[in-house]
Amino acid sequence: MPKGPTKRRPQTRAALLSAALEVFAELGFQSATIEQICDRAGYTRGAFYSNFSSKEELFLALFDAHSDAVLTRLRERIDGLGKDGLTLDDLAELVSRIDPSERDWYLVTTEFTLHAIRDPQAAWLLARHDARLRAELTGAVTAFLAAAGRELTVDAEQVSRLLIALREGGLAQSYVEPDQLPPGQLERDFVGPLLAALSRPTTG
């Protein structure tokens, strides 16, 4: 039977991740300190270093957790539509739903991306996690198109890159001008036509 510290480890890790998201969003990745994250979570530096080796590793754990949550919600929404009569507009509507909490994550991930652009090692690490997200998104989009009776005519991973760029670029504009461009509006307007132009009906 696991000992107490081993049993508590998932709770400690979860608390540190939650605190880190709050502190990073408030202060920025560069300005936030490990001490501030530990204070917010109610743990010691020892607890931090038993779970993460650095702020970068902590961010990447947040990145993976966020990616998994977004993809899980997308798959659940797609499954909720059933398999009959799916349209590209259905997918556009699904991906246009932006949770209000996404703003904090956008602040955090944008700053870390700038950090990675300046730091080759951080860029290499972030690229590996980005690749995992793209692979999962590629599979989800390809499966949806197949269920809708369509197939891509261009490289599927490049389509995933384009969809991510649309989302991130749209959110950047939305958070600056929310009255002019509500979050998710670009996806709602253009994902359907975009995928229609990059796919064709399946044959046979």
Side-chain angles (χ1 to χ4, degrees):
M1 177 178 294
K3 296 182 180 179
T6 302
K7 293 171 66 175
R8 289 193 299 270
R9 186 182 180 91
Q11 290 90 336
T12 303
R13 184 180 177 88
L16 288 167
L17 287 170
S18 179
L21 180 58
E22 293 177 4
V23 175
F24 287 160
E26 291 173 14
L27 305 177
F29 175 81
Q30 294 284 12
S31 298
T33 66
I34 291 173
E35 288 80 4
Q36 288 167 325
I37 294 168
C38 291
D39 287 345
R40 184 71 59 92
Y43 287 99
T44 64
R45 285 174 61 90
F48 179 93
Y49 284 112
S50 70
N51 285 275
F52 306 103
S53 63
S54 64
K55 280 199 305 181
E56 287 187 351
E57 184 179 329
L58 174 58
F59 168 81
L60 293 170
L62 275 172
F63 183 97
D64 288 342
H66 180 267
S67 299
D68 289 344
V70 169
L71 290 167
T72 296
R73 285 198 300 270
L74 179 59
R75 293 191 189 98
E76 289 174 347
R77 290 169 180 172
I78 290 174
D79 291 343
L81 293 174
K83 298 298 182 183
D84 296 326
L86 293 179
T87 68
L88 297 181
D89 287 339
D90 291 329
L91 181 59
E93 177 60 31
L94 293 182
V95 300
S96 70
R97 300 177 189 174
I98 309 296
D99 190 277
S101 64
E102 191 70 12
R103 183 179 181 279
D104 281 352
W105 175 248
Y106 188 83
L107 291 171
V108 174
T109 191
T110 299
E111 186 174 8
F112 189 87
T113 299
L114 294 175
H115 166 67
I117 291 171
R118 298 185 182 99
D119 185 322
Q121 176 64 18
W124 180 78
L125 290 170
L126 181 58
R128 292 175 61 195
H129 290 259
D130 276 336
R132 174 179 173 271
L133 171 60
R134 281 197 309 275
E136 295 286 344
L137 178 61
T138 297
V141 171
T142 301
F144 181 93
L145 289 174
R150 301 188 69 84
E151 61 185 2
L152 290 170
T153 58
V154 295
D155 182 75
E157 184 178 2
Q158 292 292 80
V159 172
S160 291
R161 286 184 181 274
L162 184 57
L163 292 175
I164 291 170
L166 178 63
R167 182 183 183 89
E168 293 181 350
L171 285 176
Q173 297 177 66
S174 294
Y175 292 139
V176 173
E177 300 181 277
D179 294 335
Q180 298 298 318
L181 185 69
Q185 189 64 54
L186 288 182
E187 291 95 323
R188 185 175 293 108
D189 291 344
F190 293 107
V191 164
L194 179 63
L195 289 178
L198 299 176
S199 67
R200 64 191 171 202
T202 53
T203 58

